[in-house]
Amino acid sequence: MPDPGGKWWQQLDPGFLGCEVRSRLQLEQPVSSGAVTVALQTAQPRLGSCGTPTHRSLLLLLRLGWVLLSRAQAAYTELDVMTPWLQRDLSWQRPEVTVILLRAQRYTEKKACPPGRKAQVLDENLVFYEEWELEACVDRALLAAQMDQVNPVPFTYQQLHIFKHKLDEFYPQGYPESLIQHLRYFFLWVTPEDIHKWNVTSLETVKSLLKVSKGHGMDAQVAALIARYVVGGGQLDKATLDTLATFPTTYLCLLSPEQLGFMQLNVVWVTRPQDLDTCSPWQMAVLYPKARIAFQNMSRSEYFTRIKPYLGGAPMEDLRVLSQQNINMDVATFKKLQREAVLPLTIAEVQKLLGANLVGLKAKEGNSPLWDWISWQSQEDLDRLGLGLHGGTRNGYLVLDFNVREDSSGGPHLLRLGPGPVLTVTPSRLLALILN
């Protein structure tokens, strides 16, 4: 703590007291707990002129508690008013300015709206209101009704935060669609948690919000918006899907197989493996052919690296082709393969598919689809692998798989009579086999 009796101002930023000192020191009531506080009182010059604190100086004064309440409020307002035309660039805000504003905001008292200051319309005059005036003089219902008037006005960060706080209080269960349709650039201030409370049914609303989100790092908000729209039964047209293809694909597993079918091939190039973690087998079955076509001209090693996240949609025929290419598939990828594609594979094919990673099967033998595949194999053949896998069939046993889907005619189940080929039978043929 500087010595109040000494020339403590010499320790401040030169931009604050580098000019001729026109200020006078006076003992005032302390604005924070502690010893007697020396408050610096000056006139209110233009921001950046001689005697006006820089961000660093004001931050020091605020931290020391040596700045008069009225001075802190004035500096807070001056610094904030300088930002309006930069509000669209959310990356501009400097950490030290944020600290100053948050600390100075502690001194802003709740006050009643002064006479004649009650806002009747949202216009550019409100830019010059102090934060406490906006809080006191702008009605929440007015803000909700005139939301479309907010975007053309260069409000500051703090002013927009006040507006958002008002809307959140007015609609604690989530914004209505009548308001969402008019958010436009105000959408940049909402969070994914806010969006998950919404009910979005209009495709035009989705399109307008996607347009303002582009280039602003709104990936989580875009995914939440698509989720709310799809959950409500909304259908995305090709134009919207083309727009979505320009965003990171965190939304991919939210789309129906039909919608995924309309996605451009280039979407698989920007999809990250984690973006596919929650996709269903039906969704993967649509994405896999797109990936196979997109990566088909790559070298074998590059192709497998690229196609691996999509193999959860690969059919049995493609897995057999891969087993001949010495790819050494890891067990984690094997676990994501479709059960129906894995069951027909022979022990030799699985051995070639996993290569050096075959030894990892033992640790995962209780997981699908590996357990299902083991139960379809001859225990004698499994023993030859030397991995200690158990659960295969003994010679002469009959294995039926009632989990495989039947067609509308009540039809075939998979059947295995001990080791050997898989047969398909109808219920009537199965009954005949048992009786004989």
Side-chain angles (χ1 to χ4, degrees):
M1 174 74 72
D3 178 12
K7 296 181 179 180
W8 55 270
W9 57 81
Q10 294 178 356
Q11 303 174 41
L12 299 180
D13 190 288
F16 183 62
L17 290 174
C19 307
E20 176 186 356
V21 178
R22 299 191 180 96
S23 307
R24 55 191 176 86
L25 299 177
Q26 174 181 332
L27 292 178
E28 292 286 339
Q29 287 295 107
V31 295
S32 61
S33 60
V36 174
T37 301
V38 179
L40 179 65
Q41 290 184 315
T42 65
Q44 301 293 328
R46 293 181 300 105
L47 188 63
S49 63
C50 178
T52 303
T54 62
H55 298 159
R56 185 169 51 184
S57 303
L58 182 56
L59 177 59
L60 176 59
L61 290 177
L62 289 172
R63 283 178 173 170
L64 295 176
W66 285 37
V67 61
L68 190 63
L69 174 59
S70 60
R71 180 63 178 166
Q73 291 175 337
Y76 167 53
T77 302
E78 289 175 352
L79 286 173
D80 198 25
V81 168
M82 293 299 290
T83 66
W85 296 106
L86 298 172
Q87 65 172 326
R88 305 306 183 207
D89 181 6
L90 300 184
S91 64
W92 174 86
Q93 197 171 9
R94 293 170 55 186
E96 62 265 32
V97 177
T98 304
V99 173
I100 293 171
L101 299 181
L102 292 177
R103 288 178 177 271
Q105 195 172 22
R106 297 177 185 174
Y107 301 105
T108 305
E109 299 177 355
K110 292 276 187 180
K111 298 180 181 179
C113 183
R117 299 286 282 174
K118 187 72 173 179
Q120 303 299 323
V121 64
L122 296 180
D123 58 20
E124 62 276 3
N125 292 322
L126 296 180
V127 170
F128 303 101
Y129 277 47
E130 295 188 34
E131 279 66 39
W132 70 266
E133 289 183 293
L134 286 180
E135 188 67 48
C137 301
V138 176
D139 186 71
R140 292 177 295 182
L142 174 69
L143 178 62
Q146 299 188 13
M147 192 66 224
D148 56 344
Q149 300 299 317
V150 172
N151 287 283
V153 180
F155 288 113
T156 66
Y157 292 117
Q158 291 300 317
Q159 289 172 329
L160 289 173
H161 276 302
I162 289 173
F163 289 161
K164 184 178 183 304
H165 180 66
K166 284 180 169 290
L167 289 176
D168 292 346
E169 287 186 330
F170 198 50
Y171 298 112
Q173 303 302 319
Y175 301 170
E177 190 157 16
S178 58
L179 173 62
I180 298 170
Q181 291 171 344
H182 297 287
L183 287 180
R184 296 184 61 206
Y185 281 97
F186 196 84
F187 182 65
L188 302 180
W189 293 91
V190 303
T191 66
E193 292 72 25
D194 296 327
I195 299 171
H196 282 300
K197 299 178 183 178
W198 296 357
N199 181 31
V200 183
T201 62
S202 169
L203 181 59
E204 292 306 312
T205 298
V206 173
K207 288 181 177 180
S208 67
L209 296 181
L210 288 179
K211 183 177 180 180
V212 302
S213 301
K214 194 171 183 178
H216 288 281
M218 302 284 288
D219 305 342
Q221 285 87 339
V222 166
L225 176 65
I226 298 302
R228 296 308 303 157
Y229 180 68
V230 172
V231 166
Q235 296 294 317
L236 299 171
D237 60 14
K238 188 176 185 304
T240 307
L241 291 171
D242 290 344
T243 301
L244 277 176
T246 64
F247 288 87
T249 53
T250 54
Y251 59 85
L252 210 56
C253 296
L254 301 171
L255 305 181
S256 67
E258 292 75 19
Q259 291 168 338
L260 289 174
F262 289 108
M263 297 294 290
Q264 300 174 0
L265 284 179
N266 61 4
V267 73
V268 301
W269 287 97
V270 296
T271 300
R272 303 168 300 177
Q274 60 265 34
D275 295 336
L276 303 173
D277 284 345
T278 60
C279 283
S280 69
W282 297 277
Q283 291 169 316
M284 295 304 299
V286 176
L287 290 171
Y288 171 76
K290 291 180 179 291
R292 184 181 58 185
I293 294 173
F295 307 143
Q296 62 184 343
N297 293 325
M298 306 180 74
S299 67
R300 187 173 64 183
S301 60
E302 290 176 326
Y303 174 81
F304 180 69
T305 299
R306 283 286 190 174
I307 202 69
K308 185 165 70 170
Y310 298 92
L311 288 177
M316 175 266 296
E317 293 79 9
D318 286 16
L319 295 180
R320 281 181 167 159
V321 172
L322 288 175
S323 71
Q324 304 300 319
Q325 298 180 7
N326 192 31
I327 59 173
N328 292 307
M329 179 185 292
D330 57 273
V331 176
T333 300
F334 186 84
K335 285 176 55 180
K336 296 180 180 179
L337 300 179
Q338 292 188 52
R339 178 178 178 274
E340 291 76 12
V342 170
L343 286 184
L345 297 180
T346 66
I347 288 181
E349 287 168 340
V350 170
Q351 191 172 13
K352 292 179 180 178
L353 194 63
L354 274 70
N357 297 317
L358 184 69
V359 294
L361 288 183
K362 176 60 179 176
K364 304 296 182 182
E365 65 177 337
N367 303 111
S368 183
L370 180 55
W371 171 253
D372 303 286
W373 176 80
I374 289 174
S375 66
W376 277 80
Q377 309 308 313
S378 162
Q379 183 61 50
E380 184 179 353
D381 292 338
L382 290 173
D383 291 340
R384 292 194 186 101
L385 291 176
L387 301 177
L389 299 177
H390 299 286
T393 60
R394 302 293 179 181
N395 286 342
Y397 280 81
L398 181 147
V399 179
L400 294 175
D401 184 9
F402 289 98
N403 293 317
V404 178
R405 285 188 172 186
E406 299 185 27
D407 60 24
S408 58
S409 61
H413 294 291
L414 293 179
L415 171 67
R416 183 189 295 276
L417 296 171
V422 177
L423 306 176
T424 59
V425 296
T426 62
S428 58
R429 290 181 60 189
L430 174 60
L431 180 60
L433 284 170
I434 295 174
L435 293 177
N436 291 332

